[in-house]
Amino acid sequence: MPRKQKTPPFFIGEHRIEAGERAEISLSVGSFLTHEDLILKTIVVHGKEPGPCLLLTACIHGDEYNGAEVIRRILRTPGLRKLKGTLIAIPIVNRPGFVTRSRYMPDRRDLTRLFPPTATAPMGSRRARVLSDMILPLCDAALDLHTGAVNRPNLPQIRITVGDDEALRLAKSFAPPVILAAAKREGSYRGTCRDLGKPILLFESGEALRLDTPSIRFGVQGVLSVMRQMEMLSSKGKSTRARSTPIISTKSYWERAPRGGIFTPLAPLGRVVNEGETLGFIADPYG
């Protein structure tokens, strides 16, 4: 009986991770104004058996904490002991923003809009360069975790690029209430992934500066479902039936209030409404 071929090691730059190993590595980004080294802390789980490579990122917007907790829970999943392929996890991409509870980089730039990076770019774009030049070429797919803005919770949703059939397939396995298919946005992380031929899912749920337990649980189950769809994890004993049938939309917009005041919603987040239905009422705060 022929011997089973050993899975080769996985390399990120000068870092070597053997099959069956988990490693926490520090990828150099540059230096801060205090002359301290800037790093991108990355966890790599390299399975004993060959398979695809999935990239998980969170906190590209530094105040969107749910994603970091989703990744933390994924990394504690017992099933990773039998992982096929490689999982690359970056729980906090925007470390300066995370520390200061800010969406942006210290220079007020939005990291998701600093792609593709240039050689003479500011700090944020240097982080983007590590992602686009060193990590994304190694991956078969990417999953980027977000929330809504401050005091503005988002219904669980997946955003993909129009025409990306593989991203749509993976998004359906995630099974969010809504899949939003939008045109490629130039200069964005999603646009760079599309240019590199890497399917990417952007998951949004909850709000910034909050750890929202339902959103975190939904995100964990969605990521694990995607990994099973990619055959990185075993589906044995797991239902293959989708948790819900997502609504696929190609358009989103804001419904603006006709006047100022205190808004009390009558339609809870996620409820389907019909044209002409009352969403809520606006009250004069002075009575």
Side-chain angles (χ1 to χ4, degrees):
M1 185 175 180
R3 294 182 60 184
K4 193 173 182 179
Q5 189 174 3
K6 185 178 179 181
T7 302
F10 187 81
F11 291 91
I12 294 184
E14 61 185 16
H15 301 278
R16 174 185 175 123
I17 301 94
E18 298 293 340
E21 286 188 352
R22 176 190 298 228
E24 183 178 294
I25 62 178
S26 297
L27 302 175
S28 177
V29 174
S31 59
F32 201 49
L33 55 86
T34 57
H35 205 63
E36 295 172 290
D37 290 337
L38 277 173
I39 61 170
L40 190 62
K41 189 170 288 189
T42 305
I43 298 96
V44 180
V45 184
H46 188 35
K48 294 180 180 179
E49 296 186 50
C53 179
L54 174 66
L55 171 63
L56 296 181
T57 53
C59 293
I60 282 186
H61 293 139
D63 60 353
E64 298 180 357
Y65 298 153
N66 281 346
E69 176 62 11
V70 169
I71 292 179
R72 187 188 74 83
R73 296 189 186 191
I74 291 293
L75 292 173
R76 291 170 59 88
T77 302
L80 289 187
R81 291 194 295 265
K82 297 181 179 180
L83 178 71
K84 295 181 180 179
T86 307
L87 178 67
I88 303 175
I90 309 176
I92 305 171
V93 177
N94 180 358
R95 292 186 72 192
F98 184 86
V99 170
T100 59
R101 298 167 62 86
S102 171
R103 174 184 178 90
Y104 303 105
M105 297 295 296
D107 58 2
R108 298 293 299 168
R109 292 175 185 263
D110 186 337
L111 182 52
T112 61
R113 301 290 183 264
L114 296 177
F115 291 83
T118 60
T120 58
M123 181 197 306
S125 195
R126 292 175 189 175
R127 287 183 178 272
R129 185 170 59 193
V130 173
L131 279 174
S132 62
D133 294 357
M134 185 178 293
I135 298 177
L136 279 174
L138 305 173
C139 302
D140 295 291
L143 216 164
D144 190 27
L145 305 171
H146 288 261
T147 72
V150 177
N151 296 324
R152 196 176 68 209
N154 273 7
L155 181 75
Q157 59 188 270
I158 290 285
R159 300 188 178 207
I160 63 172
T161 302
V162 170
D164 192 334
D165 294 336
E166 178 62 11
L168 179 58
R169 183 180 75 89
L170 296 177
K172 288 180 177 178
S173 71
F174 198 111
V178 176
I179 297 173
L180 179 60
K184 185 183 79 171
R185 176 171 284 184
E186 299 295 341
S188 70
Y189 178 43
R190 179 164 59 89
T192 294
C193 288
R194 181 63 172 160
D195 291 340
L196 293 173
K198 310 294 183 179
I200 180 171
L201 312 183
L202 268 66
F203 173 62
E204 294 195 2
S205 185
E207 61 181 299
L209 297 176
R210 297 286 184 273
L211 287 174
D212 178 62
T213 298
S215 294
I216 291 166
R217 288 175 178 168
F218 194 98
V220 170
Q221 292 305 313
V223 172
L224 293 176
S225 295
V226 169
M227 294 178 73
R228 286 191 285 268
Q229 182 69 35
M230 294 176 68
E231 299 184 351
M232 299 176 71
L233 297 176
S234 172
S235 298
K236 187 177 180 180
K238 299 292 183 180
S239 174
T240 56
R241 183 167 55 90
R243 289 173 286 170
S244 62
T245 301
I247 295 173
I248 300 176
S249 174
T250 58
K251 181 181 179 182
S252 65
Y253 63 93
W254 292 100
E255 188 66 42
R256 300 293 182 183
R259 65 188 64 184
I262 298 176
F263 177 72
T264 300
L266 297 179
L269 187 65
R271 198 185 85 184
V272 177
V273 296
N274 298 313
E275 184 176 357
E277 188 172 342
T278 301
L279 302 179
F281 64 87
I282 300 169
D284 179 355
Y286 295 98

